[in-house]
């Protein structure tokens, strides 16, 4: 009878154990890191701040997200080396590849463009009123806008490392069997990891069942570039620019949180079913339709850039560390085994 916790053939613990272990260590390390940075971030308060003040403090949030990114990067290396027993590049971080920079740029542009469409539509139909420009809730705009840049860069990277690099990859490997082939395993993992992504946002301010469902669909959108290229470049770029443009360019709430500093300040009106209300466009039908449009554009870009939109079944096929060839530096296509070739 197979050991439910340890795979003797691969000489490593099984996927579910890896995911639980990774999550537990991440929570412990992030909690410790936040405790370390808290005295620095909250030094300006005359009295101990309330939990609401801490939650609204951009400096604290920025330091906490930087700490989370550092912890996640270190933990991925640790898991790759001692638990997953894989190459670090398996997590989709081929940042030395020229195609990585190109795909990152596409993701960055796509996120801003989609949020621009949401803003333009709502402005044209009269659902939003522009109340100001270059607005900051604290200090000068030039200073205040830097903190969201740091926050969303860190969030965009470490959340993609968690949901795509770790959850999707390991779920796909765990499901791949004689009963579920590699392609089906990747597709199921894409759906399951996106559902977890939605649930992880369920405790955000102003969250609802609709917002949780829509965030899960957004997880599918973010994961699409990953399962078609085996790279985190498109998801990271898209995640960063989607959040920053939504909150700090166009003034919408971002997953229930206030933007703080924004190029365009707005007053939201219109039907909440469409606009998403206090949670932001992600909880409305307009956000859902924009996500679907973004998925189509992502597929079209990948087909134009790589000549294929095949699901990368290698995500479900484990290859031990040091036996995997590095993708070609000037990759132009992605064959079905996931390895880039010139």
């Amino acid at each position: 009878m197979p050991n439910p916790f340890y795979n003797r053939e691969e000489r490593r613990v099984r996927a579910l154990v890896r995911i639980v272990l990774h999550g537990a260590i991440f929570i412990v390390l992030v909690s410790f890191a936040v405790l370390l940075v808290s005295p620095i971030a909250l030094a300006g308060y005359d009295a101990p701040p309330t939990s609401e003040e801490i939650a609204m403090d951009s400096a604290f949030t920025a330091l906490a997200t930087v700490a989370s990114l550092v912890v996640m990067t270190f933990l991925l290396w640790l898991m790759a080396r001692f638990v997953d027993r894989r190459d670090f590049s398996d997590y989709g971080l081929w940042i030395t590849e020229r195609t990585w920079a190109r795909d990152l740029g596409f993701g960055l542009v796509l996120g801003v463009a989609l949020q621009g469409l949401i803003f333009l539509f709502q402005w044209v139909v009269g659902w939003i009123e522009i109340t100001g420009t270059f607005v900051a809730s604290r200090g000068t705009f030039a200073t205040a806008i830097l903190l969201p840049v740091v926050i969303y860069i860190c969030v965009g990277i470490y959340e993609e490392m968690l949901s795509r690099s770790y959850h999707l990859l390991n779920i796909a490997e765990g499901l791949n069997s004689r009963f579920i082939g590699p392609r089906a395993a990747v597709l199921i993992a894409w759906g399951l990891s996106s559902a977890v992504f939605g649930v992880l946002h369920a405790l955000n301010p102003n969250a609802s069942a609709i917002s949780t469902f829509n965030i899960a669909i957004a997880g599918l959108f973010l994961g699409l570039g990953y399962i078609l290229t085996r790279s985190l470049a498109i998801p990271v770029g898209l995640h960063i620019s989607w959040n920053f443009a939504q909150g700090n360019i166009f003034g919408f709430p971002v997953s229930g949180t206030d933007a703080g500093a924004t190029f365009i300040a707005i007053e939201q009106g219109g039907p909440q079913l469409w606009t998403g209300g206090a949670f932001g466009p992600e909880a409305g039908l307009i956000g859902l339709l924009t996500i679907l449009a973004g998925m189509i554009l992502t597929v079209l870009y990948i087909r134009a850039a790589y000549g294929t939109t095949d699901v990368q079944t290698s995500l479900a096929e484990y290859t031990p560390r040091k036996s995997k060839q590095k993708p070609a530096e000037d990759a132009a296509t992605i064959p079905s085994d996931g390895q880039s070739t010139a």
Side-chain angles (χ1 to χ4, degrees):
M1 179 178 178
N3 188 320
F5 303 108
Y6 187 80
N7 188 319
R8 292 186 178 87
E9 182 180 345
E10 296 178 356
R11 298 196 303 168
R12 59 178 187 157
V13 294
R14 295 193 181 275
L16 181 59
V17 179
R18 297 196 299 270
I19 292 171
V20 171
L21 183 63
H22 176 270
I25 296 174
F26 179 68
I27 291 171
V28 171
L29 291 182
V30 165
S31 300
F32 180 69
V34 170
L35 286 176
L36 288 179
V37 303
S38 293
I40 301 171
L42 305 175
Y45 289 89
D46 296 327
T50 64
S51 58
E52 290 78 11
E53 289 175 325
I54 293 174
M56 295 298 293
D57 192 295
S58 296
F60 172 80
T61 304
L63 280 175
T65 53
V66 170
S68 297
L69 176 57
V70 171
V71 167
M72 178 60 74
T73 304
F74 169 72
L75 183 55
L76 272 188
W77 173 84
L78 199 68
M79 297 296 288
R81 181 72 178 83
F82 298 104
V83 181
D84 289 26
R85 302 175 64 85
R86 67 167 78 254
D87 291 334
F88 191 77
S89 63
D90 282 1
Y91 296 126
L93 297 166
W94 307 337
I95 57 177
T96 59
E97 303 297 327
R98 286 181 291 183
T99 52
W100 212 93
R102 181 194 64 193
D103 291 351
L104 178 69
F106 168 76
L108 290 170
V109 171
L110 181 62
V112 175
L114 293 174
Q115 287 297 330
L117 286 175
I118 292 174
F119 174 85
L120 184 62
F121 176 81
Q122 294 203 52
W123 181 64
V124 168
V125 299
W127 290 350
I128 56 175
E129 178 185 350
I130 299 174
T131 59
T133 54
F134 302 100
V135 174
S137 57
R138 241 189 205 180
T140 65
F141 175 80
T143 302
I145 198 66
L146 293 177
L147 290 176
V149 172
V150 173
I151 290 169
Y152 288 131
I153 287 175
C154 292
V155 168
I157 297 173
Y158 86 73
E159 285 194 0
E160 289 309 303
M161 285 179 169
L162 174 66
S163 294
R164 258 54 70 180
S165 286
Y166 210 78
H167 287 170
L168 196 159
L169 183 68
N170 279 285
I171 293 172
E173 285 185 355
L175 291 174
N176 187 15
S177 64
R178 59 180 178 148
F179 303 106
I180 302 176
R183 188 176 189 277
V186 172
L187 293 175
I188 295 171
W190 180 36
L192 290 176
S193 62
S194 298
V196 172
F197 183 72
V199 170
L200 290 176
H201 290 76
L203 297 179
N204 280 35
N206 305 302
S208 65
I210 293 175
S211 71
T212 300
F213 174 80
N214 283 7
I215 291 292
I217 301 300
L220 291 174
F221 180 24
L222 290 164
L224 182 61
Y226 183 62
I227 67 167
L228 297 182
T229 68
R230 214 165 55 98
S231 166
L232 271 193
I234 294 175
V236 165
L238 176 60
H239 202 146
I240 292 170
S241 64
W242 175 278
N243 284 345
F244 182 77
Q246 181 171 300
N248 300 101
I249 295 180
F250 299 113
F252 296 111
V254 180
S255 298
T257 60
D258 183 61
T262 182
F263 286 89
I264 302 172
I266 64 170
E267 184 176 333
Q268 179 73 71
Q272 184 171 329
L273 176 65
W274 280 90
T275 67
F279 190 85
E282 294 156 327
L285 289 176
I286 189 170
L288 189 59
L289 291 173
T290 304
I291 287 170
L292 296 177
M295 294 177 78
I296 294 172
L297 291 173
T298 299
V299 170
L300 292 175
Y301 165 79
I302 293 172
R303 179 174 292 279
Y306 293 99
T308 179
T309 51
D310 290 339
V311 172
Q312 298 305 296
T313 56
S314 60
L315 289 168
E317 297 166 346
Y318 171 63
T319 304
R321 187 176 62 251
K322 294 182 180 178
S323 63
K324 186 186 296 296
Q325 292 184 348
K326 183 176 179 290
E329 186 174 349
D330 56 347
T333 62
I334 307 177
S336 59
D337 65 356
Q339 296 292 341
S340 300
T341 61

